[in-house]
């Protein structure tokens, strides 16, 4: 094999890739439907067995927008006969220096991948960008990466990943729906060999609800709490629960939706009497004040590329466990 052929083979089988900085043009809102510029940033591949679950992590930094611009970090994984997609994002303010935390952002999209058969999985990160003004905008993808952060993650007792993704539909969080427990992994049995659990909950929270009047000068404030429980053998009594992992976030109307990542590391698995290797986990979202909010479920009707007639679904708010 020549050096160039060897380099090509190595690239084709890469399990991690860094994104090169680049500036993207974002189209203005169409009269109807969705118009996103969809740009591939990097691709990784992994040969997998039927029982294997991998941990995919895509990190994307965006800044220097000319005007307010939607930026999504979408990962699409495919294999013969199957696919899995997940997208997270928010609106990026213009790079004026007046609102630095909303002008220069990292969006991290991460999830467990389990094709359920012996195959090669191919995952690609796409930046989805769209201007939020009547004129087109531009935005800088300043860097990032895509990788199989862990090629072999422990599964539940049924051989499936310890994960859950909210289906299509947004859940209201407001003065009438003050507390929502989603995303939520149901009570699930695991291997008795696990010593501890690393639990992740990612929420895409939206300011204002569809077709609901909102104050465009306002914001929505909510508390996000990640909770993990271990149960007895019948799954009817909690034998231990995690210490509180919470964050309070205030999101302005013009940011529209924002990613709230939560993490509970090293939840120790108890072997005490009355405790079994049975767990559940969920994010409790508590509305505190301001405008009505919502928790995003799966997005539907996303164009594969700009102008394409083919569309797909991508999960958004989700929860998963990486055991050890």
């Amino acid at each position: 094999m020549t050096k160039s052929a060897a380099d090509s083979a190595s690239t084709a089988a890469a399990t991690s890739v860094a994104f090169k900085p680049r500036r993207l043009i974002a189209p203005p809102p169409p009269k109807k439907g969705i118009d996103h510029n969809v740009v591939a940033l990097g691709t990784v591949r992994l040969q997998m067995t039927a029982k294997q679950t991998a941990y995919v992590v895509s990190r994307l930094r965006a800044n220097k927008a000319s005007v307010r611009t939607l930026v999504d970090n979408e990962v699409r994984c495919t294999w013969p006969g199957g696919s899995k997609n997940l997208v997270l994002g928010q609106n990026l303010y213009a790079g004026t220096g007046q609102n630095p935390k909303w002008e220069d952002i990292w969006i991290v999209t991460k999830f467990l991948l389990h094709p359920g058969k012996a195959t090669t999985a191919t995952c690609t990160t796409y930046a989805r960008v769209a201007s939020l003004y009547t004129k087109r905008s531009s935005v800088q993808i300043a860097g990032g990466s895509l990788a199989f952060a862990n090629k072999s993650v422990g599964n539940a007792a049924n051989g499936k990943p310890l994960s859950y993704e909210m289906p299509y539909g947004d859940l209201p969080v407001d003065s009438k729906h003050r507390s929502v427990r989603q995303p939520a992994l149901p009570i699930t049995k695991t291997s008795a060999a696990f010593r501890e659990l690393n639990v992740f909950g990612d929420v895409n929270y939206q300011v204002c609800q569809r077709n609901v009047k909102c104050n465009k000068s306002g914001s929505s404030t909510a508390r996000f709490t990640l909770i993990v429980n271990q149960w007895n053998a019948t799954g009817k009594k909690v034998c231990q629960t995690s210490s509180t992992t919470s964050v309070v976030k205030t999101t302005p109307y013009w940011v529209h939706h924002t990613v709230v990542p939560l993490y509970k590391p090293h939840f120790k698995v108890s072997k005490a009497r009355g405790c079994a290797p049975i767990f559940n986990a969920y994010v409790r979202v508590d509305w505190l004040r301001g405008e009505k909010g919502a928790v995003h479920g799966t997005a539907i009707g996303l164009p594969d590329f700009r102008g394409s007639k083919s569309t797909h679904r991508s999960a958004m708010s989700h929860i998963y466990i990486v055991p050890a």
Side-chain angles (χ1 to χ4, degrees), residues 27-209:
K31 292 183 179 179
K32 63 178 182 178
I34 297 173
D35 188 6
H36 292 168
N37 188 15
V38 185
V39 180
L41 301 180
T43 297
V44 294
R45 294 179 177 86
L46 182 66
Q47 287 188 335
M48 302 180 69
T49 67
K51 297 181 179 180
Q52 188 174 351
T53 294
Y55 181 22
V56 181
V57 178
S58 174
R59 305 176 74 249
L60 184 154
R61 184 184 182 188
N63 54 30
K64 299 181 180 179
S66 58
V67 297
R68 190 165 46 88
T69 301
L70 165 70
V71 180
D72 283 346
N73 176 358
E74 181 178 40
V75 182
R76 288 186 246 165
C77 296
T78 61
W79 57 92
S83 64
K84 177 167 181 154
N85 311 317
L86 201 137
V87 62
L88 294 171
Q90 69 181 64
N91 294 348
L92 180 70
Y93 279 12
T96 63
Q98 297 178 2
N99 298 280
K101 73 175 182 177
W102 303 119
E103 297 175 18
D104 189 337
I105 61 173
W106 281 95
I107 304 171
V108 183
T109 300
K110 52 194 191 298
F111 57 92
L112 300 182
L113 179 67
H114 180 77
K117 66 179 183 178
T119 190
T120 296
T122 300
C123 298
T124 300
T125 291
Y126 296 89
R128 306 185 69 94
V129 297
S131 173
L132 298 168
Y133 282 68
T134 55
K135 62 181 180 180
R136 73 178 188 175
S137 66
S138 67
V139 62
Q140 176 82 0
I141 302 302
S145 61
L146 171 65
F148 289 102
N150 189 329
K151 298 175 186 177
S152 184
V153 173
N155 291 322
N158 62 7
K160 296 181 180 180
L162 289 156
S163 64
Y164 171 83
E165 298 156 0
M166 277 183 56
Y168 172 70
D170 298 337
L171 295 178
V173 186
D174 51 37
S175 58
K176 294 182 179 179
H177 312 86
R178 288 187 172 270
S179 185
V180 171
R181 295 189 176 193
Q182 280 289 349
L185 177 73
I187 296 175
T188 305
K189 186 176 182 180
T190 72
S191 166
F194 294 155
R195 303 182 310 276
E196 63 182 31
L197 307 178
N198 299 293
V199 186
F200 301 80
D202 294 333
V203 176
N204 226 168
Y205 183 76
Q206 176 180 317
V207 180
C208 299
Q209 299 156 16

Side-chain angles (χ1 to χ4, degrees), residues 230 239 269-276:
Q230 183 175 2
C239 76
V269 176
S270 175
K271 307 292 185 180
R273 185 177 181 181
C275 284

